[in-house]
Amino acid sequence: MTQVVLATKNLGKVRELQRILEPFSVDLVMAAYEPGPETGLSFEDNAVAKAREGMAATGLPALADDSGLTVLAMRGMPGIFSARWAGRHGDDQANLDLLLAQLSDVPDGVRGASFVCAAAYCMPSGVTGVVTAELTGCVIREPRGSNGFGYDPVFVPSGYDVTSAELPPEEKDAISHRGKAFRELAPLFAEALAAESE
């Protein structure tokens, strides 16, 4: 098995990625360094930068993602600022509370949103790749469920009547933006790993 660093400190994301990538015969190692600030102007920029940082810090092939919630009524915000929307990075409850407050006057019929994920890899040779996927849905008014993290408790995927946080983990992984992106990235990453070992 090839050791691969996951360039994240988000434990919810680590657990999710371990489930998603289990079939691909890689030994996932959580980042043991302090990631730098996200300075890219897109999900793709941030994902590639994180993968490069992970590879540079460990010398291992690295996987990373940048993901967030884009809300139509907020012109795509919080977007790349999703994890720090309330001002402090990773404060899920504060981010969720601020989002709901900002949407309090928005009618139910126009609360469309998408979860977006850019998934990237970086090889020790410097070769990188990135793919982007999304999950459409809407933002409800009150949090429901405890299976997810971030904005999952207020996001209802299209075609569902439950939030992402109310779905069983395997079902969430099957439809999620992160699941889609990493399943699409996995064969590209496998090719890059094979090419690197030649």
Side-chain angles (χ1 to χ4, degrees):
M1 273 194 172
T2 304
Q3 273 204 326
V4 175
V5 67
L6 290 178
T8 183
K9 291 279 193 178
N10 182 323
L11 289 176
K13 201 177 277 192
V14 169
R15 285 190 289 270
E16 195 171 339
L17 290 177
Q18 285 174 328
R19 290 193 308 268
I20 292 166
L21 295 170
E22 187 179 6
F24 297 100
S25 297
V26 291
D27 179 19
L28 299 173
V29 178
M30 190 172 161
Y33 61 92
E34 199 55 47
E38 295 174 1
T39 57
L41 299 179
S42 69
F43 291 115
E44 293 82 2
D45 288 348
N46 284 331
V48 170
K50 289 180 198 176
R52 283 185 175 137
E53 183 182 42
M55 186 282 298
T58 64
L60 297 172
L63 289 169
D65 85 295
D66 193 43
S67 52
L69 183 69
T70 63
V71 180
L72 293 175
M74 295 170 62
R75 298 185 182 209
M77 290 290 126
I80 60 171
F81 305 106
S82 293
R84 54 191 186 277
W85 192 235
R88 195 169 76 238
H89 195 282
D91 188 339
D92 286 356
Q93 190 61 53
N95 291 334
L96 199 124
D97 291 344
L98 178 58
L99 178 77
L100 290 179
Q102 290 169 324
L103 290 173
S104 62
D105 293 337
V106 177
D108 289 345
V110 289
R111 295 169 71 95
S114 294
F115 269 133
V116 178
C117 175
Y121 66 79
C122 183
M123 307 304 295
S125 64
V127 170
T128 61
V130 62
V131 299
T132 305
E134 68 180 73
L135 174 64
T136 61
C138 67
V139 176
I140 59 171
R141 296 185 179 277
E142 296 287 334
R144 296 191 330 232
S146 58
N147 289 340
F149 63 95
Y151 298 97
D152 284 342
V154 296
F155 183 84
V156 174
S158 297
Y160 285 75
D161 58 4
V162 295
T163 68
S164 292
E166 292 176 297
L167 289 171
E170 300 75 22
E171 191 172 351
K172 179 191 169 192
D173 294 345
I175 66 166
S176 79
H177 54 307
R178 195 169 290 111
K180 289 177 188 176
F182 274 98
R183 282 192 298 275
E184 189 179 337
L185 187 73
L188 306 176
F189 182 55
E191 282 179 27
L193 282 173
E196 200 90 350
S197 63
E198 284 178 358

